[in-house]
Amino acid sequence: MASGGTEQAAADRHWHLQLEEFFSSAGPLRRIIPSYLPRAAQVEMAEAIAEAIESRRHLIAEAGTGTGKTFAYLVPAILSGKKVLISTGTRNLQDQLFNKDLPQIREALAVPFSAAVLKGRSNYLCLYRLDNAMHANRGFSRQDAAALAKIHAWSKRTRNGDIAEVSDVPEASPVWFQATSTLDNCLGQDCPDFSRCLLLKARRKAQESEIVVVNHHLLCADWSIRETGFGELLPNAEVVVVDEAHQLADTASNFLGVTVSAKQLQDLCRDTELEFYKDAADMPALRSACEDLQKEVKDFRLLFGVDVRKGDWRELAHNPKIKAGLDSLTEQLQALVAALKPASVRSKGLESCYKRGQNLAATLQAIVEDDSGKWIRWYETYKQSFSLNRAPLDIASEFQNFMQQNQATWIFTSATLSVAQDFSHFANSLGIVDAHSRSWESPFDYAAQSLFYHPRNLPMPSEPNYVQAVVEVAIPVLEASGGRAFFLFTSHRALQEAAQLLEQRTGHTLLVQGSRPKSLLLAEFKRHGNAVLLGTASFWEGVDVRGEALSCVIIDKLPFASPSDPVLQARLEAMRRQGRNPFFEQQLPSAVITLKQGVGRLIRDVRDRGVLLVCDPRLLKRSYGRVFLDSLPAMRRTRDIEDVQEFFAGRRS
């Protein structure tokens, strides 16, 4: 035993010296990145992750903004020599990790390792579907035809097939549907281009690599066993690092559920029509069935009215018109499946459409007829579309089983995992047991770099004049800051109302979410240098604006999730039935983590200075307000606008 303990101590000292040297002011990282500054918290976090990997013990690691958590987990993961799977929140973060962070560490470490990035199948060119589109007997608009021509030219020279390489065809362009595949329409080994499949090439490279960078959607797709073929990766992983781990529970819930959407049905019809013109033009009933289903999809959407909304399934069951429309939609889908059956022997494409139709019909039946009480059912409508959905009430036990089946060491990390230094909400949401929890505060000097302003005499958020009152207290702050602000809202309605009021009251450039794509709004915000950006959920996290362009963050109210959300309602009711307190176990901690994300937009660099304005009076008038305050950085606080004005004037009060 003594010998084993001595060996472990020696190994720990080796890790410590190696990591301390790497992250030191004279270390290899500083030589590669001249602006790099050593941070004690970064070294401590790297050592904790190294120890977790060595001892095969799960770790929940919260690292405040500026800690340098990406390098803190990458370096020990690479040095471990193990097969490592890294999951990030978005594809943009994947690209940053693979194209920027990993090459820098490779150069600094001078240790050979192989790495690959793997995205979902819709991110890769499908040669078969592109060829189908180029030879389709149907017209495309001039714009779509030009985009297809660009994609076709790129297809001749690409090595990876990642559609992000095509900068002059936006990823959101609907024409990409013609050049990529989904799990539903992929022909798999029956595809005539299977030997040249770019997705298969990416997966093979990932299987052979020591470090694989995926995203949460792909990680959960493997878990739910819906992304066939990718499941070969996770069982081989010895270490799984989940970055931006606070997002994982929501992503997992979506993947464990099922959906039938207008887009899925319309895509099925479009693909069937393409195959019809190629191989079944003598079967007019097939085309008619497609046209009938497409019309039924549009008619069903119209039954909900023009509003965009999200509602409980019981609303459908109690609405005779919508219930009848759902019956008609089901019948037309079944009619298309019946028409596809005799055509399915004509080609692999038609056979694939037939199987998709069968799966959609079975999924729709499962959603409509479920009364087990184990699932949440709801509908959502969009401008021209809809979705019918079913998700599990609780994912914790499922995820717990998933972790136990894969004998890997799991590292969960984010800047926002705890609530007042308590990690139980995050751990319970995923059923994580037997894990160490560690937290490192941000190295930024919040007391010197920031000011937290909470104004007096604001009405409660439930009062009708609340948004107007928020704008009134925000205007003198915006005057003092010279614009340069994020104005964050918890609802689109409040955002639009505030935008109208601000247009009449301020001369600053207003950039309003929804007026153009998020990336363009951010670029314009940085370019202006003194604009005011009004945003909702997508601007509360994952946005990094350094320097004076962002010197103020205004938050309209504490970000509690809407109690009218049918998914949240069902989960809260299930907790009540179990004798639990849904407010303190779910609603409050979720709101705290969201607020921490919003506040995290303010200080992104050691040179940043800024003011945080939180308007909601419940922060001090409700006992739970203390939980929010205890979870935020140690900022200097004030209730006087004069202190804000002095802060921006460069004087200390």
Side-chain angles (χ1 to χ4, degrees):
M1 293 292 291
S3 174
T6 302
E7 290 175 4
Q8 182 60 52
D12 291 345
R13 283 195 299 273
H14 172 73
W15 272 112
H16 177 78
L17 292 172
Q18 198 170 9
L19 293 170
E20 195 172 59
E21 193 270 335
F22 181 84
F23 289 112
S24 71
S25 57
L29 192 58
R30 179 67 181 269
R31 292 195 293 272
I32 301 303
I33 309 173
S35 61
Y36 171 76
L37 294 173
R39 285 151 285 188
Q42 187 177 44
V43 178
E44 290 176 13
M45 181 178 176
E47 290 177 340
I49 290 172
E51 182 183 347
I53 294 173
E54 188 71 24
S55 62
R56 301 180 65 182
R57 188 75 177 267
H58 306 318
L59 176 67
I60 299 172
E62 182 179 59
T65 305
T67 303
K69 64 180 172 66
T70 303
F71 282 9
Y73 67 70
L74 281 177
V75 174
I78 292 167
L79 291 176
S80 73
K82 297 180 182 292
K83 172 88 173 183
V84 180
L85 192 66
I86 300 169
S87 181
T88 68
T90 65
R91 288 173 297 176
N92 288 339
L93 287 174
Q94 274 186 278
D95 289 336
Q96 179 178 314
L97 261 174
F98 187 73
N99 297 321
K100 180 184 176 184
D101 299 330
L102 279 170
Q104 287 179 330
I105 290 180
R106 185 190 302 278
E107 186 177 356
L109 275 178
V111 172
F113 64 89
S114 57
V117 62
L118 185 63
K119 302 176 183 179
R121 70 167 68 242
S122 63
N123 293 277
Y124 295 95
L125 173 69
C126 175
L127 296 168
Y128 172 78
R129 288 180 58 78
L130 176 63
D131 185 64
N132 263 5
M134 298 301 294
H135 294 91
N137 292 326
R138 53 180 289 182
F140 290 101
S141 67
R142 183 176 299 178
Q143 183 178 5
D144 285 351
L148 271 175
K150 291 176 182 177
I151 295 170
H152 186 254
W154 163 72
S155 73
K156 301 298 183 183
R157 61 180 185 271
T158 183
R159 296 179 62 189
N160 301 320
D162 187 336
I163 69 172
E165 296 175 2
V166 189
S167 57
D168 49 357
V169 179
E171 287 189 37
S173 171
V175 78
W176 278 115
F177 172 76
Q178 309 293 338
T180 58
S181 71
T182 65
L183 181 61
D184 289 333
N185 61 33
C186 175
L187 299 182
Q189 295 185 8
D190 294 325
C191 178
D193 290 305
F194 183 73
S195 62
R196 299 192 298 145
C197 178
L198 293 161
L199 172 62
L200 189 63
K201 178 182 176 182
R203 284 178 170 166
R204 284 173 177 162
K205 183 178 180 182
Q207 289 170 340
E208 296 165 359
S209 298
E210 296 161 282
I211 309 293
V212 183
V213 182
V214 300
N215 56 52
H216 296 348
H217 288 276
L218 207 51
L219 178 70
C220 293
D222 178 79
W223 169 22
S224 60
I225 321 173
R226 290 171 61 183
E227 192 75 61
T228 55
F230 172 55
E232 300 160 10
L233 273 179
L234 251 178
N236 295 327
E238 297 172 275
V239 179
V240 180
V241 179
V242 181
D243 199 354
E244 300 302 323
H246 64 281
Q247 301 174 359
L248 184 59
D250 285 341
T251 305
S253 179
N254 291 335
F255 268 90
L256 284 178
V258 293
T259 294
V260 172
S261 68
K263 183 180 186 307
Q264 287 174 295
L265 296 169
Q266 289 164 341
D267 288 351
L268 172 63
C269 291
R270 279 194 289 266
D271 284 344
T272 300
E273 286 181 333
L274 279 174
E275 300 295 340
F276 162 80
Y277 286 117
K278 278 175 54 185
D279 298 305
D282 60 336
M283 303 178 73
L286 184 57
R287 183 180 180 185
S288 297
C290 287
E291 292 172 347
D292 290 344
L293 180 56
Q294 287 172 317
K295 180 180 182 303
E296 198 62 54
V297 168
K298 293 177 181 177
D299 289 346
F300 186 65
R301 170 62 187 90
L302 291 174
L303 292 174
F304 291 90
V306 297
D307 293 339
V308 173
R309 56 188 173 136
K310 182 177 183 179
D312 187 275
W313 188 264
R314 286 171 293 188
E315 294 179 32
L316 306 189
H318 297 150
N319 185 315
K321 288 185 178 179
I322 293 180
K323 192 173 184 303
L326 185 56
D327 290 340
S328 297
L329 183 71
T330 302
E331 289 174 9
Q332 290 299 339
L333 175 57
Q334 291 171 342
L336 176 57
V337 173
L340 275 164
K341 185 175 182 179
S344 63
V345 297
R346 297 284 186 94
S347 70
K348 291 298 181 182
L350 283 166
E351 181 184 356
S352 173
C353 289
Y354 174 54
K355 291 177 180 177
R356 284 167 63 190
Q358 286 182 308
N359 289 336
L360 279 171
T363 301
L364 182 58
Q365 182 180 6
I367 294 173
V368 171
E369 297 181 358
D370 177 71
D371 59 357
S372 65
K374 297 179 180 179
W375 301 86
I376 305 163
R377 293 185 294 167
W378 74 99
Y379 70 88
E380 290 187 66
T381 62
Y382 316 96
K383 286 185 178 180
Q384 296 180 330
S385 185
F386 65 84
S387 66
L388 308 174
N389 313 279
R390 187 181 82 163
L393 265 173
D394 182 21
I395 67 162
S397 59
E398 295 282 347
F399 193 82
Q400 187 180 92
N401 291 336
F402 176 55
M403 287 182 64
Q404 291 171 351
Q405 288 168 7
N406 296 278
Q407 298 301 312
T409 300
W410 289 73
I411 311 292
F412 302 92
T413 184
S414 169
T416 53
L417 294 177
S418 71
V419 176
Q421 289 73 57
D422 183 357
F423 290 89
S424 59
H425 170 69
F426 170 75
N428 293 340
S429 70
L430 291 169
I432 301 171
V433 295
D434 194 28
H436 287 302
S437 299
R438 295 284 303 275
S439 182
W440 294 271
E441 292 185 1
S442 168
F444 300 148
D445 187 352
Y446 279 93
Q449 292 179 248
S450 63
L451 179 68
F452 184 171
Y453 174 43
H454 181 54
R456 296 182 174 89
N457 303 319
L458 273 168
M460 296 298 282
S462 57
E463 296 184 30
N465 64 334
Y466 183 71
V467 175
Q468 184 177 348
V470 166
V471 170
E472 288 296 326
V473 300
I475 286 173
V477 175
L478 293 173
E479 290 174 353
S481 67
R484 304 185 299 159
F486 270 12
F487 206 151
L488 302 179
F489 296 85
T490 57
S491 73
H492 288 279
R493 182 197 59 77
L495 181 151
Q496 295 299 331
E497 184 180 346
Q500 292 177 2
L501 292 169
L502 283 170
E503 282 179 1
Q504 306 160 15
R505 301 288 304 278
T506 182
H508 295 294
T509 298
L510 298 182
L511 303 173
V512 183
Q513 181 177 344
S515 62
R516 70 201 82 168
K518 177 181 175 180
S519 59
L520 294 181
L521 285 176
L522 274 175
E524 191 170 347
F525 180 82
K526 294 175 182 178
R527 185 170 63 252
H528 268 282
N530 61 354
V532 179
L533 189 151
L534 286 74
T536 55
S538 63
F539 283 95
W540 283 69
E541 62 177 289
V543 178
D544 189 9
V545 180
R546 304 185 184 202
E548 292 188 351
L550 179 53
S551 298
C552 181
V553 169
I554 303 171
I555 293 175
D556 73 330
K557 62 181 179 179
L558 300 177
F560 287 104
S562 171
S564 62
D565 182 279
V567 181
L568 178 62
Q569 276 185 347
R571 292 213 164 98
L572 299 184
E573 182 56 36
M575 293 176 77
R576 290 188 193 98
R577 288 197 301 267
Q578 295 166 8
R580 297 160 63 188
N581 188 318
F583 179 78
F584 285 102
E585 290 187 45
Q586 176 64 38
Q587 293 167 284
L588 178 60
S590 293
V592 169
I593 287 173
T594 303
L595 182 66
K596 288 171 69 175
Q597 283 288 335
V599 172
R601 300 314 99 210
L602 183 63
I603 304 297
R604 309 295 298 176
D605 189 88
V606 292
R607 293 174 292 274
D608 285 353
R609 295 179 76 250
V611 166
L612 169 69
L613 164 57
V614 179
C615 299
D616 197 325
R618 292 176 294 180
L619 203 58
L620 295 180
K621 291 187 176 181
R622 295 289 183 268
S623 59
Y624 57 73
R626 175 54 56 187
V627 181
F628 286 97
L629 294 172
D630 289 346
S631 300
L632 297 181
M635 298 176 167
R636 189 162 55 97
R637 299 175 186 172
T638 184
R639 307 205 72 188
D640 299 318
I641 185 61
E642 292 80 12
D643 290 333
V644 175
Q645 293 164 340
E646 289 181 3
F647 179 91
F648 283 119
R651 301 191 302 271
R652 290 183 181 276
S653 57

